[in-house]
Amino acid sequence: MYDPTRLAALVAVAESGSITRAAERLGYTPPALSQQLAKLEREAGTALLVRHHRGARLTGAGELLVARARRVLDELERARHELARLTGLTGGTLRLGTFQTAGVHLLPPVLSAFRRAHPDVELTVTNHEPPGGVAAVAAGEIDLALTHTYEPAEPVPVPSSVVLEPVLVEELVLVTAPGHVLAEKTSRLPLSELAGQPLISMAPDHPARRGVEEVLARAGATPSVLVETPVYALVCALVSAGLGVGVVPEMVARTAVTPVGTRALEGGGLRRTISVARRSGGTTPAVDAFGALLRGAFAKAPGGPRW
């Protein structure tokens, strides 16, 4: 049995005509490459090279072995590509689902890193507002989904075929028009101070928000404008225009396109948990690789990872 690394060294010398040039090509020093070639000659039981002041040439035995070595190395390279394709990291498709906030602010750098690492994997991204992503994973329509839940809220049943892995917990914060009196202080705002405030409401058409807005209603906030679709950019725009105040995830407030004032809230335990949904019956290497990148991305986000 010949070491493929040594066979590759012999082929490199045959193609370059020089141990020095072959060493540069392979990333060796010339003495290190000479040692590899000497070991190959001992394995072959005969001289494979004739060294001279202008380089090196193959002996008859060397020419025979190089011809066979090229075939062996080609087959090994073909096997490497076929195995990579079989495991899903060369070729194949990774199907992702995401809700809007994560799709805009969290997913792009992770997708970029995955594409650099695995350029042959086709990526598809579809929008699934929670809990639609979980249902799509359960149905086999996508491989992974970024989804979220709010607290307080009624528990949402998760199919037994799906695993939810929390990766980020963030507080909900108050957003106001710039200069609003409620945003002037840096201390946490007691919920009782929302009494009588007009609220840009996302319930009841956003089921995940119902528990949150019930807490706000008990504090005395009064729905002013109903946003029938879960678009936080619209909520912030309406708040910025002075049509009311809003309570949104910290990430949303931090990245709002329109100018808003912000303030942390006291009590109530209002928060959003972002999770990754995947099938429970095992994963593919592509899913595992993407999950590892997600861990790194969420570790840098406020709130820290809970993978």
Side-chain angles (χ1 to χ4, degrees):
M1 296 292 291
Y2 296 114
D3 187 318
T5 301
R6 294 169 192 157
L7 292 176
L10 183 64
V11 171
V13 173
E15 292 175 350
S16 65
S18 163
I19 291 177
T20 299
R21 288 192 292 272
E24 292 175 354
R25 171 176 158 183
L26 296 174
Y28 286 95
T29 63
L33 186 62
S34 292
Q35 290 178 8
Q36 292 298 318
L37 293 168
K39 290 178 181 178
L40 183 61
E41 287 180 319
R42 288 196 294 272
E43 290 174 347
T46 186
L48 302 174
L49 292 168
V50 175
R51 296 157 177 83
H52 51 81
H53 68 281
R54 289 182 298 177
R57 64 176 176 82
L58 296 173
T59 64
E63 290 177 353
L64 184 151
L65 188 55
V66 162
R68 300 292 190 273
R70 284 195 174 106
R71 297 178 191 173
V72 170
L73 294 172
D74 285 346
E75 285 297 318
L76 287 174
E77 182 65 11
R78 188 174 295 111
R80 185 181 71 82
H81 281 289
E82 290 176 355
L83 285 171
R85 183 176 297 276
L86 182 65
T87 59
L89 291 178
T90 299
T93 300
L94 180 62
R95 304 165 301 167
L96 304 169
T98 182
F99 59 96
Q100 188 180 63
T101 310
V104 172
H105 300 295
L106 295 174
L107 199 56
V110 183
L111 285 172
S112 179
F114 185 86
R115 171 54 53 83
R116 289 194 300 271
H118 310 292
D120 296 327
V121 177
E122 180 182 345
L123 296 170
T124 67
V125 182
T126 51
N127 185 68
H128 292 279
E129 290 300 325
V134 173
V137 170
E141 297 169 0
I142 55 178
D143 302 307
L144 284 175
L146 284 169
T147 187
H148 62 60
T149 55
Y150 284 80
E151 292 181 52
E154 290 293 326
V156 178
V158 177
S160 59
S161 60
V162 175
V163 173
L164 280 185
E165 299 177 274
V167 291
L168 180 68
V169 179
E170 57 177 339
E171 290 188 10
L172 303 188
V173 299
L174 180 75
V175 287
T176 70
H180 194 287
V181 64
L182 290 182
E184 289 178 350
K185 296 181 179 180
T186 57
S187 60
R188 288 181 175 269
L189 178 74
L191 292 182
S192 60
E193 293 193 27
L194 293 176
Q197 291 294 328
L199 179 71
I200 309 298
S201 172
M202 300 182 72
D205 293 311
H206 192 345
R209 291 272 311 197
R210 289 175 187 163
V212 170
E213 295 197 13
E214 286 173 2
V215 170
L216 299 176
R218 288 197 295 270
T222 305
S224 171
V225 178
L226 294 177
V227 177
E228 295 186 358
T229 56
V231 180
Y232 276 123
L234 176 57
V235 171
C236 290
L238 296 177
V239 166
S240 182
L243 293 171
V245 300
V247 174
V248 302
E250 185 181 5
M251 183 193 314
V252 172
R254 192 175 61 251
T255 57
V257 175
T258 49
V260 294
T262 64
R263 190 168 174 186
L265 296 170
E266 181 182 279
L270 306 182
R271 62 179 61 90
R272 179 174 73 168
T273 299
I274 297 176
S275 302
V276 175
R278 61 173 176 80
R279 283 187 292 278
S280 58
T283 61
T284 67
V287 168
D288 290 339
F290 194 81
L293 291 172
L294 275 175
R295 294 185 195 101
F298 280 102
K300 298 173 184 176
R306 302 281 185 91
W307 188 278

